[in-house]
Amino acid sequence: MGMEATPPARSPREAALRARLLKLAEVANQDAALTDRGRFVTLEIQVVIDSCGFFIRLADGRVAGIDEGPHRMRPCAFIVAGAAEAWDKFWTPVPPPWYHDLFAMNKKGVLTIEGNLHPFMANLQYFKDLLALPRRIATG
Amino acid sequence: MQATIEQIVGRYARFEIDGRAQRVYFEEAGQGIPLVCAHTAGSDGRQWRHVLNDPEITRDFRVLAFDMPWHGKSFPPAGFETEAYRLTARGFMNIIRAFNAALGLEQPVFMGCSIGGRIVLDLAYHHADEFRALIGLQCSDHHVPWYDSTWLTRPDVHGGEVCAAVVSGMMAPQSPSVTVQETLWTYKQSGPGVFRGDL
């Protein structure tokens, strides 16, 4: 039985966001300060853009791989989920207020962070910086 | 290379707050109208370094920035090791008023940021006659905790790292990186449970 196909992007914006996230490893693994900060992080997290999940495998702070979902019931440490509109704003070079930070978006109610939050909080700056990296990845 | 010596002078003042002996570190610069500055939760008086070094301000104001007990170079009071630090509005007002009295400051201007900004409303309501002006920065009338703050002080999460990482989201992305990182450093240096106890 093959894996369930990834649902098509519902908008060009969502497609562009997916493409940027899939390039995360290229940027993250070249950032020595980031990978050093995350050197104790070896786990898998799920980032959700609208209804599409991305399973990001992290090994010693480096991005070891990204699998596009859905992969239902696949375990992961925690899930960071938001609408395409929220990620789009978060990933602009200078984000607007409330969209500059994962905590700020969570407080505003446009981003959920659920699961085992211990590794997230123990490595909070790492995860904030890692998930903000698509700001450096050009659209398209 | 010749050093640049800043005009800031740091000293310790010993006095009682709520009946407990305290050794409070403060820095000052300038002359004229006393301007007492209070820092944010989980940080210390270094936050005011640019105000203390601003000749346009220190020309007319005697700027004083103190480290609250438990913060910066001020120690917690004797016996602290058996208690959980917890700041209250009343306790915060007592710190400020005791500092003013101990240094003989008459009707100073008071300026505070965040929790230091929030307390100006309490000072205005209860002790307006003791101040010539009250300035609140990044303040609000009421603060409701919106996340589980136990993450800020537990043995399996580095308190300094997590507090700084939380605060990193409270500075605008346009802020200069150098000053952002200096500011975060003071949060990384804060004592265990102090940031949470301030909130």
Side-chain angles (χ1 to χ4, degrees):
Chain A
M1 190 179 84
M3 275 293 180
E4 189 177 352
T6 302
R10 288 181 292 196
S11 66
R13 175 171 65 184
E14 191 182 344
L17 292 168
R18 290 183 184 186
R20 289 164 80 189
L21 184 59
L22 286 168
K23 292 179 187 165
L24 185 66
E26 294 172 26
V27 183
N29 295 346
Q30 289 175 13
D31 188 330
L34 178 86
T35 54
D36 183 60
R37 186 185 289 282
R39 64 195 178 281
F40 292 108
V41 178
T42 297
L43 45 73
E44 189 161 298
I45 65 171
Q46 187 184 169
V47 170
V48 178
I49 302 173
D50 277 346
S51 58
C52 187
F54 294 81
F55 291 82
I56 302 175
R57 293 192 306 282
L58 301 168
D60 304 325
R62 298 172 64 82
V63 177
I66 303 179
D67 294 333
E68 234 174 323
H71 303 306
R72 297 180 200 283
M73 303 299 172
R74 176 163 165 171
C76 62
F78 58 87
I79 303 170
V80 184
E85 183 187 6
W87 288 113
D88 198 28
K89 289 180 178 172
F90 181 61
W91 287 339
T92 53
V94 181
W98 290 106
Y99 291 89
H100 65 291
D101 176 76
L102 297 183
F103 263 47
M105 291 202 292
N106 182 254
K107 186 177 184 187
K108 189 171 175 61
V110 297
L111 188 88
T112 58
I113 307 163
E114 293 171 351
N116 176 13
L117 297 186
H118 181 249
F120 175 73
M121 295 303 290
N123 299 278
L124 184 58
Q125 195 66 59
Y126 169 75
F127 283 112
K128 281 188 171 189
D129 293 346
L130 176 76
L131 295 182
L133 277 186
R135 286 174 193 166
R136 292 193 218 156
I137 301 169
T139 306
Chain B
M1 180 184 155
Q2 183 113 20
T4 301
I5 305 292
E6 297 185 3
Q7 61 179 344
I8 301 171
V9 174
R11 305 186 75 174
Y12 280 94
R14 298 184 192 191
F15 57 94
E16 286 193 358
I17 302 172
D18 290 332
R20 301 179 81 180
Q22 303 278 0
R23 185 165 176 261
V24 172
Y25 179 75
F26 69 100
E27 295 180 342
E28 71 167 289
Q31 57 276 312
I33 299 166
L35 168 59
V36 176
C37 300
H39 54 78
T40 64
S43 185
D44 60 57
R46 283 176 291 178
Q47 282 183 335
W48 301 101
R49 62 199 178 282
H50 299 297
V51 174
L52 286 157
N53 270 323
D54 188 327
E56 283 193 53
I57 296 172
T58 54
R59 186 184 60 209
D60 298 317
F61 292 91
R62 179 188 175 195
V63 184
L64 302 108
F66 64 87
D67 292 350
M68 291 163 62
W70 298 78
H71 299 70
K73 294 174 83 167
S74 297
F75 276 99
F80 76 91
E81 67 276 12
T82 60
E83 60 191 86
Y85 171 67
R86 190 135 207 94
L87 186 69
T88 63
R90 175 64 58 190
F92 196 3
M93 283 193 289
N94 290 347
I95 293 169
I96 296 160
R97 297 176 67 225
F99 180 78
N100 294 345
L103 272 78
L105 308 175
E106 288 185 15
Q107 283 210 303
V109 178
F110 175 81
M111 176 162 65
C113 187
S114 193
I115 60 165
R118 227 180 297 148
I119 202 66
V120 303
L121 295 177
D122 298 89
L123 291 171
Y125 186 76
H126 294 288
H127 305 290
D129 56 327
E130 297 177 20
F131 299 89
R132 76 182 67 195
L134 293 158
I135 304 168
L137 308 173
Q138 296 187 321
C139 63
S140 60
D141 57 351
H142 188 59
H143 175 75
V144 181
W146 64 275
Y147 63 93
D148 183 352
S149 66
T150 59
W151 287 111
L152 303 177
T153 175
R154 49 185 274 171
D156 56 356
V157 174
H158 189 291
E161 295 273 19
V162 70
C163 290
V166 168
V167 171
S168 71
M170 298 178 196
M171 285 179 277
Q174 302 94 330
S175 306
S177 173
V178 170
T179 46
V180 166
Q181 294 304 324
E182 282 182 356
T183 300
L184 294 180
W185 185 252
T186 67
Y187 287 89
K188 291 176 182 175
Q189 292 183 308
S190 185
V194 171
F195 183 51
R196 186 180 182 223
D198 280 335
L199 296 176

